[in-house]
Amino acid sequence: MSKDIKKYKLLLDGELITTDQSIEVINPANEEIIALCSKATNKELDLAIESAKKSQKLWAKTGIEERQQVLHEITNVIKDNRDQIARILTLEQGKTFIAAKGEVQFAEAFCNYFANQSLDNQLLKDDDSSIIEIHRLPLGVVAAIAPWNFPFLIAVYKTAPAILMGNSIILKPAPTTPISTCFFGELLQPIVPRGLINIITDENELGPTITRHPDIAKISFTGSTFTGKKVAENSGSTLTRLTLELGGNDPAIVMADAQPSKIAQDIFNSSMNNTGQICAAIKRLYVHQDIYEEMCNELKKIADGTKVGDGFEQGSDLGPLQNKNQYEKVKSYIEEAKQKGNIISGGEPLEGPGYFIPITLVKDIQDGAKLVDEEQFGPILPIIKYDDIDEVIDLSNSSKYGLGASVWSENIKKAREVAIKLEAGSVWVNQHAAIGPDIPLSGAKESGLGVEWGEEGLKEFTQLKILNIKK
Ligand code: NAD
């Protein structure tokens, strides 16, 4: 390890603080240590909560314009440092530098969107007997817990609505991708009030303490369904408000009248972007038997021409998996797929170092295989043949997940009829994972609880209060 390796600091109570303990941050493209990150203990967590409590009391008294102004400043500082943030993202997350810049730009768009929002009081009734108004109050201290697939974007899109609504926030990034969030802290330190935004890090130890803490008013969690259930359990004792954005196993149904050559690239991207590590990626592809072979061939052509490599290398289309655990998990899906289907592209992990898996397409596989039934979260797609649309709707709906789904057809009316029957929080037609700051995102079934983004998402950072005055 180089001696001049940077140790990132935590933003705590308005100061950038180095702690005694460190997290070693690994570049997934070569498995080398690229940085150290200060690791928080219960002491730093207590400081973050105390500081956030104090700060929130003052912040709640500010007007919406002042809060919007701070969000505009945050948007600008992100924009001004886009390339540097993107470089850190490629180093710690593995995605290509172009994709990393895209993530930062999307974060700017979210921050800018919330910087232009407000929720006015609403008059529900004003008649001879009473005036009834709906008010929206801040909740208090929000804890935001993030995963490792879009570390910067998720940190920003949780921070912006939380502080706009008069809350303070404590951000906790995932253990393997903490430094883009810590760098965000460096950028925020000169421009946000002391204690309004605090950053702590861990190696999975602090979650239970945060989620049980009586001084945390809301938890905004994005991560796996497995951990989301623990969060729900732990926060039950204090009835802490919860938003859970969890796992998915999104089906895409390609109808008999679809044109494979026209839609293959979009389907491919919707499955493989971010090396398949997207909650709402296409994770099972159901294709009508009449066009099954053609669709498989079109996807194979694209897969064979897609280069997985170091995110900084010219010519790399996709990066490695983000961490070793995920790499091992995806390899186990490939092993099973070799028994349960036919691999038509990829199939063998690339030689290391680095957590590289080539784009892997599996045809002639069916429901009942792990790769179809579970969330693979990697660049491996099962392509399943169907002949009866009602059966495939049932199969799509048989999952415990319900994050997203899509239907692909030349006939929008027919596709719409199928889309209506799919059990998911978002259903797209002739596209997948088309998301944005103004469009609410919500998971059905075990894909989540509550809503993020848009006005619906903003409301989740408030306490509803009814003011009911007798005349
Ligand atoms: P994870 O659940 O392992 O970790 C997420 C976060 O939870 C990390 O910060 C982790 O340190 C923390 N954590 C661990 N144990 C905890 C506990 N007991 N209490 C509280 N927090 C705890 O998820 P991951 O592997 O980092 O991310 C991948 C998963 O995230 C996938 O399932 C993916 O679908 C999901 N995801 C969902 C969305 C969405 O919007 N629905 C978006 C991105 C990722």
Side-chain angles (χ1 to χ4, degrees):
M1 198 194 317
S2 145
K3 274 204 182 116
D4 50 44
I5 204 162
K6 176 169 174 175
K7 180 161 174 176
Y8 283 79
K9 298 177 180 185
L10 306 179
L11 177 59
L12 284 176
D13 193 30
E15 310 285 338
L16 293 168
I17 291 173
T18 305
T19 64
D20 296 340
Q21 294 185 40
S22 300
I23 298 170
E24 291 180 343
V25 185
I26 308 283
N27 178 352
N30 58 21
E31 299 175 54
E32 283 173 12
I33 297 169
I34 41 155
L36 297 176
C37 184
S38 292
K39 179 173 161 180
T41 60
N42 281 321
K43 185 179 121 201
E44 284 81 25
L45 176 61
D46 288 346
L47 174 60
I49 294 174
E50 275 317 304
S51 171
K53 266 168 66 180
K54 243 190 257 163
S55 180
Q56 194 272 330
K57 289 204 166 63
L58 299 173
W59 184 244
K61 292 183 183 137
T62 58
I64 190 79
E65 291 84 7
E66 190 176 330
R67 298 181 206 157
Q68 288 171 330
Q69 185 50 36
V70 169
L71 283 177
H72 281 300
E73 283 174 40
I74 297 176
T75 310
N76 289 336
V77 87
I78 297 172
K79 204 180 286 175
D80 292 345
N81 290 275
R82 189 186 290 158
D83 281 9
Q84 209 178 336
I85 301 167
R87 251 189 300 279
I88 294 172
L89 265 177
T90 298
L91 278 173
E92 72 170 351
Q93 205 283 334
K95 64 188 67 190
T96 64
F97 187 54
I98 292 175
K101 279 204 279 195
E103 176 172 342
V104 181
Q105 276 174 296
F106 210 27
E108 288 161 32
F110 272 84
C111 202
N112 186 54
Y113 167 79
F114 285 112
N116 290 299
Q117 303 304 304
S118 58
L119 290 176
D120 295 331
N121 293 340
Q122 278 173 270
L123 185 65
L124 193 66
K125 190 169 167 186
D126 183 359
D127 62 14
D128 293 345
S129 60
S130 61
I131 300 176
I132 306 179
E133 291 169 4
I134 299 177
H135 293 213
R136 298 255 163 204
L137 307 183
L139 285 164
V141 180
V142 172
I145 301 178
W148 42 257
N149 57 345
F150 288 93
F152 189 74
L153 173 65
I154 294 176
V156 172
Y157 77 53
K158 289 184 185 299
T159 300
I163 67 171
L164 179 74
M165 290 294 99
N167 307 288
S168 57
I169 191 164
I170 297 169
L171 288 171
K172 195 204 82 61
T176 54
T177 53
I179 58 176
S180 53
T181 305
C182 289
F183 183 65
F184 187 35
E186 289 178 30
L187 301 177
L188 293 171
Q189 197 265 343
I191 59 173
V192 300
R194 171 182 286 263
L196 183 64
I197 302 172
N198 297 272
I199 296 171
I200 56 158
T201 55
D202 70 346
E203 287 182 298
N204 286 331
E205 306 91 348
L206 292 178
T209 317
I210 299 170
T211 48
R212 279 197 203 108
H213 204 289
D215 290 334
I216 301 289
K218 178 190 166 81
I219 296 154
S220 176
F221 175 86
T222 300
S224 63
T225 295
F226 177 79
T227 312
K229 287 181 184 176
K230 287 192 195 165
V231 170
E233 225 174 275
N234 286 333
S235 58
S237 60
T238 44
L239 290 182
T240 304
R241 300 295 178 266
L242 273 187
T243 306
L244 301 176
E245 293 297 342
L246 307 178
N249 191 10
D250 289 13
I253 300 175
V254 181
M255 295 176 72
D257 70 351
Q259 292 182 26
S261 60
K262 192 167 142 189
I263 60 174
Q265 187 70 56
D266 283 348
I267 288 188
F268 182 85
N269 294 345
S270 305
S271 177
M272 299 301 173
N273 276 349
N274 212 39
T275 316
Q277 302 163 111
I278 298 188
C279 53
I282 295 177
K283 293 182 181 140
R284 349 172 227 162
L285 182 64
Y286 293 99
V287 182
H288 191 272
Q289 60 182 8
D290 290 356
I291 53 165
Y292 184 75
E293 295 301 327
E294 195 187 344
M295 190 75 223
C296 289
N297 290 338
E298 290 293 336
L299 288 170
K300 177 176 164 48
K301 265 193 271 173
I302 301 169
D304 289 348
T306 301
K307 186 170 179 287
V308 173
D310 187 318
F312 284 118
E313 254 169 44
Q314 277 269 313
S316 294
D317 299 304
L318 293 168
L321 288 169
Q322 198 281 318
N323 57 69
K324 193 159 184 10
N325 282 347
Q326 192 59 26
Y327 175 67
E328 296 299 337
K329 187 175 147 191
V330 171
K331 280 202 297 188
S332 78
Y333 283 115
I334 293 182
E335 284 315 307
E336 196 228 20
K338 284 179 185 164
Q339 316 301 322
K340 302 251 169 102
N342 287 312
I343 293 184
I344 56 168
S345 184
E348 292 304 326
L350 306 182
E351 222 164 274
Y355 309 132
F356 293 106
I357 301 270
I359 304 295
T360 300
L361 301 178
V362 186
K363 71 184 283 242
D364 307 323
I365 189 166
Q366 288 174 347
D367 281 70
K370 252 174 36 174
L371 178 62
V372 182
D373 294 354
E374 297 177 9
E375 181 184 38
Q376 65 273 45
F377 220 62
I380 168 166
L381 179 69
I383 312 171
I384 310 130
K385 191 192 289 182
Y386 78 89
D387 60 357
D388 182 86
I389 192 70
D390 292 322
E391 264 174 37
V392 85
I393 291 170
D394 284 347
L395 287 174
S396 297
N397 290 341
S398 65
S399 172
K400 67 176 184 178
Y401 295 112
L403 190 60
S406 60
V407 187
W408 301 72
S409 166
E410 286 289 301
N411 184 329
I412 290 190
K413 191 165 167 278
K414 273 197 187 157
R416 192 176 194 284
E417 281 164 18
V418 175
I420 299 285
K421 294 179 187 160
L422 294 176
E423 296 166 0
S426 302
V427 183
W428 297 278
V429 171
N430 291 332
Q431 55 181 356
H432 199 105
I435 55 170
D438 54 337
I439 309 170
L441 182 82
S442 170
K445 300 192 268 186
E446 291 195 12
S447 284
L449 208 65
V451 190
E452 288 201 294
W453 318 339
E455 190 178 312
E456 301 269 346
L458 197 52
K459 285 179 177 167
E460 295 223 352
F461 286 95
T462 66
Q463 173 60 51
L464 186 74
K465 175 175 166 180
I466 305 299
L467 186 62
N468 193 334
I469 303 167
K470 185 178 173 189
K471 279 189 178 166

